[in-house]
Amino acid sequence: MGRREEAAAGAAEAPGAGTPRTLLPGATIGVLGGGQLGRMMALSGSAMGYRFVALDPAQDAPCGQVTPQITAAYNDRDAARELAQRADVITYEFENVDAGVAALLTEESYVPQGSALLYTTQHRLREKAAIEAAGVPVAPYRKVGSLAELEAAAAELGLPCVLKTATGGYDGKGQAVIRRPEELAAAFRQVAPGAAAPAPQASGAAASPDSPGAAEAKDAAEARPHAPELVLEKFIAFQCEISVIAARSASGEVKSFPPAENIHVDNILHLSIVPARVPEEIQRRACELAEQIVSGMDAVGLLAVEMFVTEDGELFVNELAPRPHNSGHYTMDACVTSQFEQHVRAICNLPLGDTTLLTPVVMVNVLGQHLEGAIQAACSADEESNRLGVSPKLHIYGKTESKTGRKMGHINLLCKDTGDGLAWVEQTNLWRN
């Protein structure tokens, strides 16, 4: 019996998501995407005995430094077929995967996450509908396709609101906060640049196809861009933001990690604090909602669920990410099982690991402008870490170019109390830039 048959533990070789298969160590996991999430997944899964191959267009991608890599564009069908041929199971490390490639892989390989989850989470309106269908609350929202619709939606929801693109956008990109009515037009231009202006109207009844100017009007209409797909969300006055990483195996077992309290700077995640500084009842409820969503969507693998916590303790889900998540990096050093091991276990249909938190922890992101100083701070003896009882655990992603605002790594600060970890970040003084 060959490696593929042994790894599949006798499961049928039918392509697609299909019947859950158990992939044992020795199987090869194909990863769409070669960034830091794929790298950390491969490092964790390799320790379990799995092999990996990644598909990424970048030469010397972070994941490709630790595992074989197919260097090709994400929409390259031939490269996708090669990935399918070389892997026993395929997963992805980011959600903006070409839909056609995802469908192709589902037809020709075993992709336990399927393409439906990608289809849903790639579009904010579909994502919100799926969350609501799972019985979980989201902030009030409206679909918007023009400035007139934006004005009407803002009047209905009330200001302040947040205007977002329905697709794409991350770390604050593709969105604008609107606080006053006079900001509506500028926000629309910012989020939907080049959106079609209202079509010129002929006076009186609609012009016939043979009327003077009809051909010119048709040509002008066809030349205008399609109406944008936007979503306007009611701004939630929140006390804090938290996230829960939930996992569901191919056979339906579900577990979640302790909620992380997240602090952003310039729309980029800066700190994750665990345990989150919210009452235990809210933490428990957040885990329940995340597990409710991952089960309701029949997701396989990890699902990161970002939530707002209001002053009166209400929870509203903001966004989902169907993959390992920046706010789950704390699990690498502070939990019995890391989010990356859990993802491998879920897609390979192994029993899910223990998610118990072993120690309080503060995760701090290392951006390009912090990289050199953070390496020095984490790799040198310093009085502050000894005095505070903080153990810095450094993780560098192997990106070839360091840029301001680019995530280059993170540090997990293991501590007796999260206040000590936060004090270390403050006193190290690197993150003020």
Side-chain angles (χ1 to χ4, degrees):
M1 182 180 292
R3 175 178 56 82
R4 179 182 293 270
E5 287 78 8
E6 291 178 352
E13 290 294 326
T19 303
R21 308 179 198 175
T22 299
L23 285 298
L24 301 179
T28 297
I29 298 173
V31 185
L32 268 173
Q36 67 263 26
L37 299 179
R39 175 191 180 100
M40 290 182 277
M41 188 192 307
L43 289 171
S44 182
S46 295
M48 301 169 66
Y50 289 96
R51 296 174 180 269
F52 285 80
V53 57
L55 170 61
D56 194 277
Q59 295 283 349
D60 196 33
C63 187
Q65 295 170 14
V66 301
T67 194
Q69 177 182 329
I70 301 167
T71 304
Y74 292 125
N75 61 356
D76 187 323
R77 302 295 181 93
D78 290 335
R81 288 190 174 93
E82 181 183 350
L83 182 69
Q85 291 168 0
R86 294 174 62 176
D88 299 301
V89 59
I90 292 177
T91 185
Y92 40 81
E93 64 132 27
F94 73 117
E95 56 267 47
N96 293 320
V97 177
D98 180 84
V101 167
L104 180 152
L105 289 171
T106 301
E107 292 171 0
E108 299 193 5
S109 184
Y110 177 48
V111 188
Q113 293 162 283
S115 58
L117 183 62
L118 277 178
Y119 177 80
T120 298
T121 56
Q122 284 176 343
H123 195 284
R124 286 189 171 92
L125 290 166
R126 292 195 292 262
E127 179 177 280
K128 289 178 183 298
I131 295 169
E132 291 177 311
V136 176
V138 298
Y141 68 96
R142 297 291 183 272
K143 179 181 178 181
V144 170
S146 66
L147 178 57
E149 290 181 359
L150 172 60
E151 292 170 341
E156 188 175 354
L157 293 176
L159 297 179
C161 283
V162 184
L163 182 65
K164 299 179 180 180
T165 57
T167 59
Y170 63 96
D171 289 344
K173 299 177 178 66
Q175 59 183 266
V177 178
I178 305 168
R179 294 181 173 84
R180 297 184 299 274
E182 55 267 28
E183 297 173 353
L184 288 166
F188 185 78
R189 289 193 299 269
Q190 174 188 332
V191 177
Q201 298 293 320
S203 58
S208 72
D210 300 322
S211 64
E216 290 81 355
K218 179 177 182 293
D219 290 342
E222 291 176 348
R224 285 194 301 271
H226 293 295
E229 283 192 292
L230 310 175
V231 56
L232 185 69
E233 300 174 2
K234 176 70 176 175
F235 186 87
I236 299 296
F238 56 87
Q239 176 188 4
C240 66
E241 296 180 57
I242 64 174
S243 59
V244 175
I245 311 296
R248 181 176 178 272
S249 72
S251 60
E253 183 186 7
V254 174
K255 286 188 178 181
S256 57
F257 288 92
E261 177 186 348
N262 299 319
I263 297 175
H264 294 77
V265 174
D266 296 330
N267 295 309
I268 300 174
L269 181 63
H270 173 45
L271 297 168
S272 290
I273 304 164
V274 188
R277 296 172 297 182
V278 297
E280 289 186 8
E281 170 58 26
I282 292 178
Q283 295 186 44
R284 182 189 62 78
R285 178 63 176 154
C287 289
E288 288 178 351
L289 293 180
E291 292 176 13
Q292 194 170 324
I293 293 171
V294 76
S295 296
M297 296 179 71
D298 289 330
V300 174
L302 296 187
L303 188 68
V305 183
E306 301 178 31
M307 309 180 198
F308 296 129
V309 183
T310 67
E311 292 288 346
D312 57 2
E314 287 189 278
L315 290 169
F316 292 94
V317 172
N318 180 31
E319 290 185 342
L320 307 178
R323 52 169 171 77
H325 194 257
N326 196 170
S327 67
H329 290 348
Y330 78 89
T331 63
M332 298 172 72
D333 299 298
C335 289
V336 174
T337 306
S338 76
Q339 66 166 342
F340 298 102
E341 178 185 338
Q342 195 77 305
H343 184 74
V344 170
R345 286 180 168 274
I347 63 171
C348 292
N349 204 31
L350 303 184
L352 296 181
D354 186 350
T355 59
T356 300
L357 185 71
L358 297 173
T359 175
V361 58
V362 174
M363 188 283 299
V364 56
N365 265 331
V366 175
L367 305 183
Q369 63 268 33
H370 312 136
L371 181 60
E372 184 176 347
I375 291 175
Q376 292 295 327
C379 297
S380 303
D382 70 279
E383 294 182 0
E384 291 304 319
S385 62
N386 292 331
R387 182 179 65 82
L388 294 167
V390 171
S391 297
K393 301 292 185 179
L394 178 67
H395 300 267
I396 298 298
Y397 301 153
K399 295 181 178 179
T400 55
E401 186 177 3
S402 178
K403 297 179 182 179
T404 297
R406 190 182 193 193
K407 295 172 184 174
M408 303 301 296
H410 69 272
I411 299 175
N412 284 333
L413 299 160
L414 309 184
C415 43
K416 295 179 181 178
D417 184 272
T418 55
D420 296 330
L422 293 171
W424 188 91
V425 174
E426 181 70 20
Q427 293 171 23
T428 304
N429 205 31
L430 293 170
W431 287 273
R432 298 189 184 212
N433 300 322

